[in-house]
Amino acid sequence: MLTDEERQKFAAIADVLIPSAEGMPSASEAAVPEKWLDEALRHRPDLTAGLRAALTAAGDLPPAEAVDVLNSEHIPAFEALGTLAAGAYFLNPEVKQLIGYPGQVPTVPRDDTDTYFDLLENVLERGQVYRDVPTAGPDA
Amino acid sequence: MMINHSLDLPDVADVLVVGAGASGSVAVKALAESGFSVVCLEQGDWTPPSAFAGDKPEWELVKQKQWHPNPNVRGGASDYPVDTSESDVNPLMYSGVGGSTILYAAHWTRFLPSDFKVKTMDGIADDWPFDYAELQPFYERMDREVGVSGLGDNPAYPPGAGYPLPPLPIGKIGRKAAEGMDKLGWHWWPGANSIPSREYRHRPSCLRYGTCLTGCPAGAKSSTDLTHWPDALEAGAKLVTGARVREITVDDQGLATGAVYLDRNGIERRQKASVVILAGNGIGTPRLLQLSTSNLFPDGLANSSGLVGKNLMMHPYGAVVGTYEDPLDSWLGPAGQSIESMEFYETDTSRGFVRGAKWNVMPSGGPLGMRSGYGGRPVDESWGVNFHRNVKANLGRSFEWGIIAEDLPDESNRVVLDPSLTDSDGIPAPKLIYTSSETPSKLIDFHDERAREAHEAAGAITTSTTRLMRDCGWHLLGTARMGNDPATSVIDQWGRSHDVANLYVIDGSAFVTSSGVNPTATIMALALRSVEHLIATRRDQVVSSPSAAH
């Protein structure tokens, strides 16, 4: 579990990475720091150490400056933080709806051969694309 | 993990199979149904479809760790570590009932006739000891055993029986890719997949989750825990899970007598058998042969040729992703191949190299996975306002032309025992020494460029090329190669060791050359051919006599 201070620092950095723009909410507006981060960490506890290392490395730097330092000098830690920020953001169902992603959901397969048989006829007309081989060759 | 010692294992099994993956499953089923007493030792466990994350919101997070195909990343209890410090490519595999078919993409592609005659046709490497026509009936039987969905009459192959199931949808991505190939006059065909397009032999139809590479939550994909093991167990086969084999034992005459293994409680156990079959994949099998040293076999078992572990082939894999203006729903499965192309598969020496590659269209998945290529780029390129712009531009609007480059045998590419790294049981781990040689390098450059042209012909707005993925070593081949000459091969054309008359290798280690296609159809057809020969010649099989056994 993150401390309040760690969580606040994460929120500030996450909002630099995922700002409010292009009709999309920021990380904080999407409840990433207080809700979805915990859910992401529940599934990826292995990223906790990297996240903490990133927050420690960020120190008291302003968030935008911290991101630059992390991206250039603390790459594994920054990857952990970035994976958690983006992964937590996409766990939010409202975010999924806004980007038009239904998630991996069951879809019964429909035969779509009728949509491409016209193109396939051209392939057949062009004929064989493999080489014939001699019936007997040297042994291995 | 369960070790069921109430299995009532025979003191001496007719046949011991090591590994319950693609090839081992085929062997166990065929042997048990022919009346043999069979024991299979598998270091992993069962993985029920409910365990997979493909139908859960956290799928994209856990696919990067718990369901990663690289055992060094996954670090599961059943996995053994692999030293890759001297390898260009990471090995990808899964330990468990079903083996790596649990996590494979189920592309079901046969070798072409020229793949069995590489020396004859192109003057390099070696020919296989038999030809396409010899293996074709086994391919067709295996199509029915696993339940392949596809469309017959593909002009990339000789005529033959059709697939048992109609093709899966190629979807909007397949149609878009096909339009580009049509403009260029290049070959393409709906992809054949070992994924049922409708209910088949008690398995449900594909539900297009698109998560095949992390396990099928619908229980549809044809992993051998579903396609073979129920029948094998019904026929009386005995399966011991959590059994990590440390050594194949031999008698004073140099014949195999069984195996020593460790259960999950760390207890050493022994299973005796008249015949031993290794099915541990192109890394696990040579590792075990090298671990099995004795006075008679100081350099490892079945290794008089010195070729055990050598000629490792892993198929360098390149990918060109195209992004399109139209929404393509490119998170939909199967993943799986939508369409494939063999346009540039066969040799054309004017290209400056011989051999070729199969292409396959695959979907691009969800929003988090798409971001995996952004690591190490400038902050502004992948974060901030561009975080949102990239998602909107790419999600559902991009797909991959993947390129499987033929990897040629090279003795310097090899599996050895690591001098210090061990698995959780203290058994020496394998180390890979592997570099992608010059020929595949030229080949990949050529194919990447053609795939970019294919995207552009289809109307792609942008393309991006990944020249060689490090995490692409799905196909572990060639490390106990077959052949007629004991000086240049480890096993004969039936999988039998030249040195140990009752020891067989039936997995991808047996491959003479790798082809440029996904190998599972060939691994399983080859396993069936080998084991049916063993069954047919059972009366001539040499076995260890009780007096000679240790």
Side-chain angles (χ1 to χ4, degrees):
Chain A
M1 183 64 80
L2 299 179
T3 65
D4 288 347
E5 188 184 350
E6 287 173 325
R7 201 176 292 275
Q8 285 170 15
K9 195 181 287 185
F10 171 80
I13 293 173
D15 282 347
V16 172
L17 301 177
I18 309 175
S20 174
E22 302 285 309
M24 296 296 295
S26 68
S28 290
E29 288 167 347
V32 166
E34 65 268 27
K35 179 177 179 183
W36 298 107
L37 173 63
D38 291 345
E39 183 68 2
L41 281 169
R42 189 167 73 81
H43 296 295
R44 290 296 305 277
D46 59 294
L47 296 177
T48 305
L51 171 62
R52 284 219 156 92
L55 296 176
T56 300
D60 295 325
L61 291 170
E65 204 174 312
V67 166
D68 284 335
V69 169
L70 290 172
N71 191 45
S72 58
E73 298 175 20
H74 303 275
I75 294 170
F78 186 52
E79 283 180 354
L81 186 151
T83 298
L84 286 166
Y89 188 70
F90 293 130
L91 283 175
N92 185 330
E94 292 172 16
V95 168
K96 279 186 185 167
Q97 190 170 17
L98 284 169
I99 62 176
Y101 173 56
Q104 305 306 127
V105 294
T107 305
V108 176
R110 187 187 70 80
D111 180 354
D112 64 0
T113 50
D114 61 321
T115 68
Y116 59 78
F117 262 177
D118 54 335
L119 300 183
L120 214 51
E121 282 176 9
N122 299 333
V123 178
L124 289 169
E125 280 176 13
R126 290 193 289 271
Q128 175 178 329
V129 295
Y130 65 90
R131 286 184 292 175
D132 289 316
V133 300
T135 52
D139 291 337
Chain B
M1 186 175 296
M2 295 289 293
I3 310 281
N4 188 350
H5 290 297
S6 62
L7 281 172
D8 192 21
L9 301 173
D11 180 45
V12 182
D14 292 336
V15 183
L16 170 66
V17 178
V18 180
S23 61
S25 306
V26 170
V28 171
K29 176 175 180 286
L31 289 161
E33 289 179 342
S34 295
F36 288 75
S37 68
V38 190
V39 173
C40 181
L41 301 177
E42 166 53 53
Q43 64 191 317
D45 207 338
W46 292 90
T47 312
S50 60
F52 300 127
D55 57 350
K56 301 175 180 68
E58 67 271 18
W59 168 63
E60 288 212 281
L61 274 167
V62 298
K63 72 182 281 196
Q64 297 180 12
K65 176 65 178 173
Q66 294 94 325
W67 293 104
H68 198 287
N70 182 342
N72 290 338
V73 174
R74 197 171 56 236
S78 302
D79 296 316
Y80 57 83
V82 182
D83 182 344
T84 59
S85 59
E86 293 186 46
S87 177
D88 289 348
V89 168
N90 291 330
L92 309 178
M93 57 176 149
Y94 188 77
S95 297
V97 183
S100 297
T101 66
I102 296 291
L103 298 185
Y104 77 153
H107 297 200
W108 198 256
T109 316
R110 296 180 190 178
F111 275 31
L112 266 64
S114 62
D115 289 324
F116 295 91
K117 302 291 178 191
V118 176
K119 181 78 169 177
T120 299
M121 300 295 287
D122 295 318
I124 55 167
D126 290 294
D127 289 349
W128 285 57
F130 50 83
D131 61 14
Y132 178 87
E134 166 71 19
L135 203 57
Q136 185 170 358
F138 297 95
Y139 276 131
E140 291 175 352
R141 287 171 57 194
M142 202 51 64
D143 289 352
R144 295 191 293 275
E145 281 201 19
V146 303
V148 177
S149 302
L151 194 65
D153 300 325
N154 184 347
Y157 286 92
Y163 296 109
L165 291 163
L168 285 155
I170 69 169
K172 292 178 183 174
I173 58 172
R175 169 74 198 195
K176 181 64 76 179
E179 288 171 3
M181 301 300 268
D182 189 61
K183 280 184 189 168
L184 295 165
W186 291 353
H187 170 266
W188 70 275
W189 202 255
N193 295 283
S194 47
I195 303 169
S197 55
R198 59 180 63 157
E199 188 178 327
Y200 187 76
R201 295 189 179 177
H202 310 298
R203 272 184 296 134
S205 156
C206 171
L207 288 177
R208 304 191 71 187
Y209 281 107
T211 63
C212 309
L213 287 161
T214 49
C216 177
K221 188 181 75 171
S222 304
S223 50
T224 61
D225 57 325
L226 303 176
T227 59
H228 283 72
W229 274 102
D231 290 341
L233 295 173
E234 179 69 23
K238 307 291 187 185
L239 172 63
V240 186
T241 57
R244 179 167 278 154
V245 178
R246 195 196 68 197
E247 180 185 0
I248 302 302
T249 53
V250 294
D251 67 14
D252 296 338
Q253 309 303 311
L255 289 166
T257 57
V260 175
Y261 67 97
L262 294 156
D263 71 17
R264 290 309 85 211
N265 296 316
I267 298 171
E268 186 172 293
R269 299 181 182 276
R270 178 174 180 174
Q271 177 62 53
K272 292 184 277 188
S274 299
V275 170
V276 175
I277 295 177
L278 301 187
N281 85 27
I283 292 176
T285 287
R287 177 198 185 200
L288 184 53
L289 289 170
Q290 292 174 75
L291 285 167
S292 302
T293 55
S294 60
N295 289 336
L296 284 172
F297 301 103
D299 298 322
L301 200 55
N303 197 22
S304 65
S305 65
L307 292 175
V308 167
K310 293 183 178 174
N311 296 303
L312 172 66
M313 297 174 281
M314 292 202 285
H315 278 158
Y317 186 84
V320 182
V321 174
T323 301
Y324 293 77
E325 191 165 355
D326 301 334
L328 300 173
D329 300 337
S330 56
W331 48 74
L332 271 175
Q337 52 178 349
S338 164
I339 71 170
E340 64 182 39
S341 174
M342 305 298 259
E343 178 67 24
F344 302 105
Y345 191 86
E346 297 280 21
T347 292
D348 178 344
T349 52
S350 69
R351 297 172 194 152
F353 57 87
V354 295
R355 312 303 297 163
K358 182 205 108 178
W359 297 9
N360 40 250
V361 162
M362 295 183 73
S364 53
L368 188 60
M370 284 171 33
R371 294 188 51 78
S372 59
Y374 289 106
R377 294 186 186 179
V379 170
D380 290 347
E381 198 173 308
S382 49
W383 295 105
V385 67
N386 278 330
F387 175 88
H388 300 301
R389 289 176 181 162
N390 290 335
V391 169
K392 287 189 175 176
N394 296 314
L395 179 66
R397 290 176 160 81
S398 58
F399 64 84
E400 164 189 312
W401 266 119
I403 297 158
I404 298 176
E406 173 151 1
D407 203 3
L408 293 164
D410 179 341
E411 289 189 23
S412 64
N413 287 333
R414 60 198 188 275
V415 179
V416 298
L417 295 180
D418 195 275
S420 55
L421 186 68
T422 63
D423 64 25
S424 58
D425 290 306
I427 302 171
K431 175 178 182 173
L432 305 192
I433 299 169
Y434 176 90
T435 54
S436 183
S437 60
E438 187 184 1
T439 297
S441 182
K442 287 181 184 172
L443 190 155
I444 288 174
D445 287 344
F446 172 87
H447 281 259
D448 279 350
E449 189 58 23
R450 300 290 84 68
R452 190 182 59 76
E453 291 169 7
H455 272 304
E456 288 175 353
I461 303 167
T462 63
T463 61
S464 65
T465 300
T466 303
R467 193 174 173 282
L468 171 63
M469 289 185 187
R470 184 164 175 84
D471 275 330
C472 76
W474 282 107
H475 308 156
L476 307 169
L477 309 167
T479 49
R481 66 196 328 233
M482 62 168 48
N484 294 329
D485 183 352
T488 58
S489 58
V490 177
I491 56 175
D492 69 13
Q493 67 158 311
W494 307 108
R496 175 161 38 195
S497 160
H498 291 303
D499 301 343
V500 183
N502 63 339
L503 176 69
Y504 291 75
V505 173
I506 61 165
D507 56 38
S509 311
F511 279 33
V512 179
T513 51
S514 69
S515 82
V517 302
N518 316 68
T520 307
T522 302
I523 289 172
M524 293 178 72
L526 194 59
L528 184 61
R529 177 179 181 272
S530 294
V531 79
E532 289 199 342
H533 183 264
L534 168 62
I535 293 167
T537 59
R538 65 172 81 180
R539 295 188 191 287
D540 301 325
Q541 178 63 56
V542 177
V543 301
S544 174
S545 64
S547 60
H550 290 298

